[in-house]
Every structure is written in C-alpha cells, then in structure tokens.
C-alpha cells in the first residue's frame, strides 16, 4: 500500500504573502519511484473551467521507495486565497510520484489576513 | 435508434461487399436502351441485356448494378449507353454460388461511409449512458493531474471542431464550389441551337414534403453527332415553390429557337442556363459549419497549454503582476506607472463591424428560406411549416438590422477619456481618475462614473461556451446632471483593504473597472467600460 504525506511545520496552514513555508514530504511506496516532485500551486474551483498555476516546483532528488525530505518555500505575493460566488482560488502543496501516478495534496491559505478573501 | 439505422445500413453494405467478390467474366452486350420514364424521382435509366458463359453454361442477365435506381441526370445514362453498345464485349461479375445472377458494374464502397452518420448518434448516446452510470472511485479522482485533464479536453475539442469543419467542407464542395467552378468553365462553352424534346416539373418526395426541379430534355448537334442532355443549370438539388419553375418550363416549351451551351472538350456535356442562379446560395449554408469548425480549431490551438512547470510559473507571473513579485524581493526597484490613460474595453466601431458581419451572415442565410416561403405564397401553395419555422429566425434578423442602425448612431456619441493615477492601485490605497468628454456633451442628461469589481468565469455547456459574470463591488464615484460638470473633472476613490485584487487566468477572472454611463434621450446611451489593475497589498510598506 502506498502512503504519501506533507507535514507543514507547526501544522500551520494560514500564511501571508512573502512568508516562508517549511515542512517535510514523506512517502512510502511499493516500488522505486522514477520521480518525486513537490509543487506549490493554486487552482480555481467553481462554475468556470478549472485553471491551474504552479508557483514553484521542487524535484525531490532521493528516489528511495520509503523516505522523507524537508523543504522550504518562499510564498509569492498573489493570488490571494479567495472565495466568491462564481469562483474560488485555492492554494495547495502537491506531492507527485512519477509525474501523476500518485498524488497527495495539502491545502493552505495565502492572504494578508491569513484567511481567504470572501466576497459572497 | 442510431444503432437500428446502423444495423440496416450495415446489412445493405454487406451485400454490396459480397458483390465485389463475384467472379469477373467476359460477356456480350445484346442491347442497351435508355428509358426516359423509369421513375418519378429518377426518370432516366439504362435497360441493358447481356449474355455470358459460366462453368460451361450460357446465361442471360439484365441487371446493370445491385440496387440500381436510375438517375435524374440524362448525361449519366447517355455515357453508360455509349459504354455498352450492342454486340460489343464487356465484363460482368457473376455470383459463383448462383451463376444466373450477374451484374455489369459494382456499387461504390464509398456508400459504406453513410454508416458514419448514425454512428455519431450511437457514440453520443452510448457515451452519455456510460458517463451517467459509471461508478467513480472517490480515492482515485480526488487528485488528478490538471495538465493531463486539460490536454484531454483540448483533444476532444479539436476532434469535435474538426468534424464540424470536415462536414461543412464535404457538403460545401458539391453544393457550391463545384457548381461555381462549372459556371466559370461554361463561359467558354459554345452556344449551339437545340430542340426541346420534353419539358416537365419533376417532383421529389421525402419525409419533409415534396420539392421540385426543372427537367427539360433537349437534343443538339455538335461535330455532326447528335447528343441529348437534360441539364438546365449547374445548381444541384431541388426546392419547394413551383411558379418560377413552371414559368421557365413554359417558356422553353414555347421557345422557337432555343439554344444550349456545349462543352467543346466533351460534347455530350451541355447546359441550357449557364448563369449564376439564386438556388446556388443554398450551397453557402455549409459555410457556417466550416466557419464554426475552423474558428473553433483556431481558438483551441491558440489557447496555450501548460508546457512545463517552470514555464507555467513564468507565464503566471508575467500576467501583469510581475511588478508585485519583484517588489517582494526588491521594493526599491518596484515599477509602477505614475498614471496611465485608460482604454475602453470595446470600441463603437468594433461593435458596429461585429454586428454588421453577423447581420449579413444571418440574414443572408435566412433570406434563402424566406425566398422559398414567399414563392410558396405567390403560387398559392404556401408551406405553412416552413413559414412558422422561419418566424423566429426572421425576427432575430430584423433585430440585428435594428442593432446595426443603433450602433451607427452610437458612433456619434460623446467619447470619454480617462486617466488613472497611479496606473496600478494596490489594495488598501487610493487612486484618482480624471476625465475629459469630447463631443456632444450637451446631449447627455445624466453622467455617472462607477467603480466596479466583478467575477467572470467561462465554461462549456454542451457545445456552447458560456461566460457568467457576478458583481461583488459597485460604488458610484460621481454623478451629475450639470453639463458644465461633465466636460472635465477628477475624483479620488479608495480600494478597500479586505477585497480581492485583479486576477486573470484562461477561464476565471476578477476584473476591476471604471464604468462611465451617460443617459441620452432618444439616442443610444454612453456605456463605456475601462479596466483597471488592482494590485495585491504592497507588503514592503507593511514591513
């Protein structure tokens, strides 16, 4: 059975723009992976067709089947996490094995107030 | 139903394929006559008799082709008759399992393509049933690679629009391009006296009703050889309405010295009327399918795919927020224009050109059917179904014509010019707009300037692409009835600290704009939209 997880330091999930996000990516796989990638991305949700933007992408070099690796990412200024009536913008960390065979996502919030901007 | 039609077409096609395996055998033509009263729908056919020897026994057959139904083109049967002259040798195809059954020519295997038409309905129906009833594994669908999802959608969209374009082109070629090509070639054909043998109105029955075409059989001499033809003009197909057709038929019956135009390279080809006719316009209808397909393919390919993760990041940052990203690392070098002149989102001329194009396109197609409706009423045989069916289309066409005049009048409206300071406004700060209105300001009864924030999302609904909008912020900045205050002015406004900045992705946007509205009596109002950029809060100031 495969297990993937992302642990953020101090279990923090709310961040302000420009803040540094530190954490650890862990994986436990049945086979040796060809690639392990950690993405910081935003995506839209709602009535419109989904858009995705990858702000940062880190190749985790160690390809053991079971391991963990720390990471540190400086968060960008924008876009803010947002919740409206037609669309939402959500930030997440995504751990990807073999370019999409398996995936684990951990959502975070990015905004000056630490909470998503709401215009409902 | 699609599967049912496919089944029957397939059964018929199997028989056609079977005849292609019959044994090729020499035969002798005994007689070949042209019948000119074969069938109401296809009055011309060949009646051929031939004999052949198979396994030592002699047989006689009169079958030209499996499922032969004659034709409405006299030139076609004339060519066949010249191929199968009496006492000449030819080749027939004998059923080895039943040697008394033979044919002279095979039916084309291209008829098998007709199975594709009901196949479309089978795919749509089957696909709909599958996707409705299939169970999805929540664990597997929780996270899916967005890049592969976008790629699959793109492929499906490209296939869809390609089918549209191919169907449009496939119908446009025989209905319009080939007839126009023939009309141009016929300009060099030789005018030749001819004699009218028969002239009649040929009817064609279908589920949608009866249509009619002109069938005039004539003969002429060219290079000491007598030929016959029944081609009236180069349009193909038939249409409703009989009065105009009957008038043409009557005129040829009475014509003392009729002339036709003969192809000097192929004298068996001739035509009575080599002019462009109104019926040819129907051939332009498939242009709509071709245009939809080509435009759809163009915009689908133009829409950039996320090529690589690093380039995706670069693309996002370059979308007008690069200044902010740079300020995060080096605030002293932050670029922000002091002020900018705002541009209206859509110009009056572009709107006028757009609606004029659609009005011409729409009314051009509608006019063809409207012509048939009017013809039906004129000859006392109105097609009520077509008349009622056309009402909404005609109303839309009239609306478009009114729209064209509306936008022509709007060209003469006063035009606002706006300057925004600073050029990009961070959240939680203030901006200022100054305006000047040029033109007939005295005709404006009330002028308002509004700051507007809205969400815009685009999505597909069936075959349509829809865009929904929702305003989340709308504050009036300025309003006046006084003409002297309208010419020029300036006003400051804050951007709230707890709102969302401008955002633009392919399908989802948050747009801030300054909207200038001017009410004008008995004239198109002024309604100009100027997009502005609201930046994320300037974090360097907070630090």
């Amino acid at each position: 059975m495969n297990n993937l997880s992302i642990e953020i330091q101090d279990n923090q999930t709310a961040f302000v723009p420009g803040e540094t996000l530190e954490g650890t990516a862990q994986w436990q796989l049945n086979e040796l992976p060809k690639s392990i990638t950690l993405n910081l991305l935003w995506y839209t949700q709602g009535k419109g067709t989904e858009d995705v933007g990858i702000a940062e992408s880190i190749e985790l070099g160690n390809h053991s089947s079971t391991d963990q690796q720390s990471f540190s990412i400086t968060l960008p200024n924008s876009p803010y996490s947002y919740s409206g009536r037609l669309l939402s913008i959500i930030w997440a960390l995504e751990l990807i094995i073999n370019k999409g065979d398996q995936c684990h996502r951990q959502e975070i919030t990015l905004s000056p107030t630490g909470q998503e901007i709401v215009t409902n | 139903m699609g599967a049912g039609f496919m089944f029957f077409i397939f059964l018929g096609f199997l028989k056609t394929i079977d005849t292609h395996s019959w044994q090729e055998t020499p035969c002798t033509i005994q007689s070949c006559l042209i019948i000119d009263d074969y069938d109401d729908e296809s009055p011309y056919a060949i009646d051929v008799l031939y004999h052949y020897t198979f396994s030592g026994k002699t047989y006689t057959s009169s079958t030209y082709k499996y499922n032969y139904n004659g034709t409405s083109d006299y030139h076609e049967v004339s060519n066949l008759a010249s191929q199968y002259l009496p006492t000449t040798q030819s080749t027939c195809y004998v059923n080895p399992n039943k040697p008394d059954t033979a044919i002279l020519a095979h039916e084309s295997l291209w008829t098998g393509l007709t199975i594709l038409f009901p196949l479309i309905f089978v795919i749509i129906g089957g696909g709909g049933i599958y996707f409705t009833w299939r169970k999805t594994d929540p664990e597997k669908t929780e996270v899916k690679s967005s890049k592969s999802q976008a790629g699959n959608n793109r492929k499906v969209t490209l296939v869809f629009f390609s089918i549209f374009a191919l169907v449009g082109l496939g119908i446009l070629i025989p209905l319009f391009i080939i007839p126009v090509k023939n009309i141009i070639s016929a300009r060099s054909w030789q005018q030749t006296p001819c004699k009218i043998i028969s002239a009649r109105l040929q009817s064609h029955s279908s589920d949608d009703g009866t249509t009619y075409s002109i069938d005039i059989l004539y003969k002429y001499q060219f290079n000491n050889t007598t030929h016959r033809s029944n081609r009236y003009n180069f349009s193909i197909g038939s249409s409703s309405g009989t009065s105009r057709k009957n008038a043409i038929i009557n005129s040829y019956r009475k014509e003392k010295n009729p002339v036709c135009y003969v192809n000097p390279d192929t004298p068996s080809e001739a035509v009575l009327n080599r002019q462009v006719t109104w019926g040819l316009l129907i051939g332009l209808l498939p242009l709509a399918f071709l245009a939809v397909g080509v435009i759809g393919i163009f915009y689908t390919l133009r829409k950039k795919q996320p090529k690589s993760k690093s380039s995706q990041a670069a693309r996002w940052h370059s979308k007008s927020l690069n200044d902010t990203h740079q300020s995060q690392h080096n605030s002293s070098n932050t670029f922000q224009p002091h002020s900018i002149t705002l541009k209206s989102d859509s110009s009056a001329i572009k709107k006028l050109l757009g609606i004029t194009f659609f009005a011409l396109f729409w009314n051009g197609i509608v006019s063809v059917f409207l012509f048939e409706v009017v013809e039906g009423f004129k000859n006392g045989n109105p097609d009520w179904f077509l008349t009622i069916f056309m009402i909404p289309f005609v109303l839309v066409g009239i609306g478009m014509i009114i729209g064209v005049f509306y936008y022509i009048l709007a060209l003469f409206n006063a035009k606002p010019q706006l300057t925004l300071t600073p050029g990009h406004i961070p959240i939680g700060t203030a901006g200022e707009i100054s305006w000047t209105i040029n033109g007939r300001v005295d005709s404006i009864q009330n002028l308002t300037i509004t700051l507007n924030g809205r969400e815009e999302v685009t999505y597909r609904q069936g075959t349509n692409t829809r865009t929904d909008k929702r305003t989340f912020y709308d504050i009036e900045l300025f309003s006046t009835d006084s003409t002297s205050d309208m010419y020029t002015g300036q006003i400051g406004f804050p951007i709230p600290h707890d709102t969302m900045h401008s955002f633009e992705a392919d399908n989802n946007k948050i747009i801030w704009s300054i909207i200038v509205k001017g009410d004008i009596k008995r004239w198109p109002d002024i309604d100009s939209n100027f997009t502005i950029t609201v930046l994320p809060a300037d974090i360097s100031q907070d630090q």
Side-chain angles (χ1 to χ4, degrees):
Chain A
M1 189 155 164
N2 300 313
N3 273 323
L4 306 173
S5 70
I6 301 171
E7 284 181 11
I8 301 174
Q9 200 171 62
D10 301 326
N11 288 322
Q12 188 179 353
T13 56
F15 298 88
V16 297
E19 193 172 347
T20 300
L21 187 161
E22 292 177 338
T24 309
Q26 297 175 341
W27 59 93
Q28 195 179 350
L29 307 170
N30 294 333
E31 293 171 355
L32 279 175
K34 291 173 194 153
S35 67
I36 306 173
T37 312
L38 182 72
N39 287 335
L40 173 68
L41 59 92
W42 57 262
Y43 60 96
T44 62
Q45 242 182 25
K47 209 167 181 184
T49 304
E50 185 185 82
D51 286 312
V52 178
I54 296 179
E56 186 127 6
S57 185
I58 303 171
E59 289 292 334
L60 301 177
N62 188 349
H63 293 171
S64 307
S65 60
T66 302
D67 208 342
Q68 62 181 42
Q69 197 159 328
S70 305
F71 58 86
S72 175
I73 299 172
T74 304
L75 296 170
N77 247 13
S78 59
Y80 295 164
S81 294
Y82 170 79
S83 174
R85 205 176 291 171
L86 295 183
L87 85 118
S88 297
I89 300 172
I90 301 164
W91 279 93
L93 285 166
E94 192 178 66
L95 183 63
I96 300 175
I97 308 296
N98 295 340
K99 296 193 192 308
D101 280 356
Q102 289 160 81
C103 198
H104 175 74
R105 204 176 264 182
Q106 169 72 49
E107 287 181 7
I108 62 172
T109 303
L110 177 70
S111 86
T113 62
Q115 291 179 335
E116 62 181 2
I117 307 297
V118 177
T119 62
N120 280 326
Chain B
M1 272 181 71
F5 281 122
M6 267 186 67
F7 176 70
F8 286 113
I9 293 173
F10 184 64
L11 278 184
F13 187 57
L14 276 181
K15 185 74 180 168
T16 302
I17 294 175
D18 181 52
T19 61
H20 280 258
S21 66
W22 290 2
Q23 199 163 323
E24 200 173 303
T25 306
C27 65
T28 305
I29 307 296
Q30 280 182 242
S31 66
C32 183
L33 302 169
I34 293 176
I35 305 171
D36 65 359
D37 197 13
Y38 185 70
D39 184 71
D40 283 341
E41 301 275 335
S42 307
Y44 306 108
I46 56 165
D47 182 11
V48 62
L49 198 64
Y50 54 97
H51 62 258
Y52 56 95
T53 305
F54 191 86
S55 300
K57 281 185 77 175
T58 302
Y59 300 91
T60 303
S61 175
S62 61
T63 307
Y64 164 59
K65 199 189 268 192
Y66 174 65
N67 266 347
Y68 181 59
N69 288 321
T71 177
S72 58
D73 183 1
Y74 188 90
H75 182 247
E76 190 181 313
V77 292
S78 175
N79 279 343
L80 282 177
S82 62
Q83 277 179 39
Y84 300 115
L85 294 170
T87 71
T88 56
Q89 299 295 310
S90 188
T91 305
C92 64
Y93 304 90
V94 181
N95 185 347
N97 300 322
K98 204 172 172 235
D100 60 348
T101 305
I103 55 175
L104 270 181
H106 290 303
E107 199 171 350
S108 171
L109 288 175
W110 286 109
T111 56
L113 288 177
T114 52
I115 211 169
L116 292 179
F117 185 68
L119 183 63
I120 296 171
F121 294 91
V122 172
I123 290 172
I124 292 170
I129 292 169
Y130 169 73
F131 285 109
T132 302
W133 287 100
R134 74 166 183 172
K135 288 181 185 174
T136 53
D137 187 340
E139 286 184 7
K140 282 187 183 166
T141 56
E142 184 194 329
V143 176
K144 209 170 170 182
S145 165
S146 302
K147 186 178 169 184
S148 66
Q149 210 168 16
N152 287 340
N153 289 343
R154 201 159 174 257
K155 282 177 198 165
V156 168
T157 309
L158 275 175
V159 166
F160 176 80
F161 283 119
S162 298
I163 292 173
F164 248 86
L166 283 171
V167 167
L169 189 64
I171 302 173
L172 186 73
I173 289 174
L175 277 192
F176 186 78
I177 295 176
I178 291 178
V180 167
K181 177 179 162 292
N182 288 336
I183 288 170
I184 295 170
S185 305
R187 287 178 197 278
S188 61
W189 289 10
Q190 285 186 27
Q191 185 175 306
T192 306
C194 63
K195 189 175 173 188
I196 306 298
I197 299 171
S198 66
R200 63 185 168 185
L201 189 68
Q202 190 181 340
S203 62
H204 308 270
S205 298
S206 70
D207 294 336
D208 300 325
T210 303
T211 54
Y212 305 92
S213 60
I214 296 171
D215 182 22
I216 302 175
L217 184 64
Y218 52 96
K219 65 179 179 183
Y220 55 95
Q221 282 256 339
F222 197 88
N223 291 343
N224 297 320
T225 305
T226 303
H227 301 274
R228 288 188 180 193
S229 177
N230 75 328
R231 177 187 269 164
Y232 168 66
N233 61 16
F234 289 113
S235 295
I236 67 171
S238 54
S239 59
S240 63
T242 55
S243 63
R244 191 174 52 87
K245 297 182 182 80
N246 278 324
I248 293 170
I249 289 166
N250 288 334
S251 74
Y252 274 95
R253 281 180 184 153
K254 291 174 191 168
E255 179 62 47
K256 288 183 181 164
N257 300 305
V259 296
C260 62
Y261 300 89
V262 180
N263 185 348
D265 299 324
T266 315
S268 58
E269 257 196 286
V271 70
L272 284 175
N273 179 3
R274 58 181 178 178
Q275 305 297 323
V276 175
T277 55
W278 280 107
L280 204 57
L281 288 178
I282 295 177
L284 284 175
L285 282 175
L287 200 59
F289 286 88
L290 182 63
V292 165
V294 168
I295 291 169
I297 291 169
F298 173 74
Y299 278 105
T300 304
L301 290 174
R302 203 173 83 144
K303 214 172 156 180
K304 288 179 189 161
Q305 281 272 74
K307 286 182 188 170
S308 68
K309 290 165 188 161
S310 55
S311 65
Q312 174 80 12
R315 184 173 75 95
W316 159 248
H317 284 302
S318 71
K319 266 190 186 284
S320 83
L321 296 179
N322 205 16
D323 314 336
T324 312
H325 184 65
Q326 286 177 349
S327 71
Q328 184 186 339
H329 295 289
N330 188 349
S331 56
S332 62
N333 288 341
T334 302
F335 169 75
Q336 214 187 103
H338 172 66
S339 65
I340 57 173
T341 301
L342 299 176
K343 285 183 189 168
S344 179
D345 288 352
S346 62
S347 76
I349 289 202
K350 278 185 190 170
K351 286 181 187 172
L352 175 62
L353 288 174
I355 196 166
T356 303
F357 172 77
F358 280 110
L360 284 172
F361 186 74
W362 181 274
N363 287 307
I365 294 175
V366 168
S367 65
V368 172
F369 296 98
L370 196 60
F371 180 77
E372 295 295 332
V373 167
V374 169
E375 278 283 296
F377 276 94
K378 272 169 70 175
N379 67 30
N381 187 25
D383 186 336
W384 285 109
F385 176 77
L386 183 64
T387 305
I388 294 168
F389 181 80
M390 289 308 299
I391 289 174
F393 294 95
V394 169
L395 289 176
V396 169
I398 292 171
M400 285 200 184
I401 292 171
I402 294 172
V404 168
F405 285 107
Y406 180 91
Y407 283 107
I408 288 174
L409 292 178
L411 282 178
F412 297 98
N413 271 351
K415 289 170 186 42
Q417 287 182 321
L418 268 58
T419 304
L420 178 69
T421 308
H424 300 155
I425 312 173
I427 285 175
T429 66
E432 181 186 84
I433 52 159
S434 51
W435 72 88
T436 307
I437 300 184
N438 302 314
R440 298 172 46 217
V441 179
D442 52 337
S443 63
I444 305 173
Q445 294 192 305
N446 175 261
L447 181 76
T448 57
I449 300 176
T450 308
L451 175 64
N452 176 276
R454 67 181 187 276
E455 298 172 336
E456 256 188 40
V457 300
T458 302
Y459 56 95
R460 294 196 63 82
Q461 200 171 53
T463 56
N464 298 325
T465 298
R466 294 179 63 105
T467 299
D468 282 3
K469 301 177 188 180
R470 199 271 306 194
T471 296
F472 60 84
Y473 190 89
D474 195 70
I475 295 290
E476 189 180 277
L477 302 178
F478 176 81
S479 179
T480 185
D481 299 334
S482 164
T483 305
S484 57
D485 292 338
M486 293 180 193
Y487 282 101
T488 187
Q490 57 197 42
I491 189 157
F493 58 91
I495 302 290
H497 68 277
D498 59 349
T499 192
M500 182 62 179
H501 55 78
S502 297
F503 171 80
E504 184 179 344
D506 287 340
N507 301 290
N508 298 273
K509 296 176 188 172
I510 291 171
I511 300 171
W512 286 86
S513 54
I514 303 288
I515 300 174
V516 178
K517 284 192 178 171
D519 295 333
I520 306 175
K521 241 186 187 174
R522 291 187 291 273
W523 198 263
D525 293 336
I526 295 172
D527 190 355
S528 298
N529 205 21
F530 300 85
T531 299
I532 65 172
T533 303
V534 171
L535 299 175
D538 187 354
I539 57 167
S540 63
Q541 288 189 351
D542 297 335
Q543 287 167 354

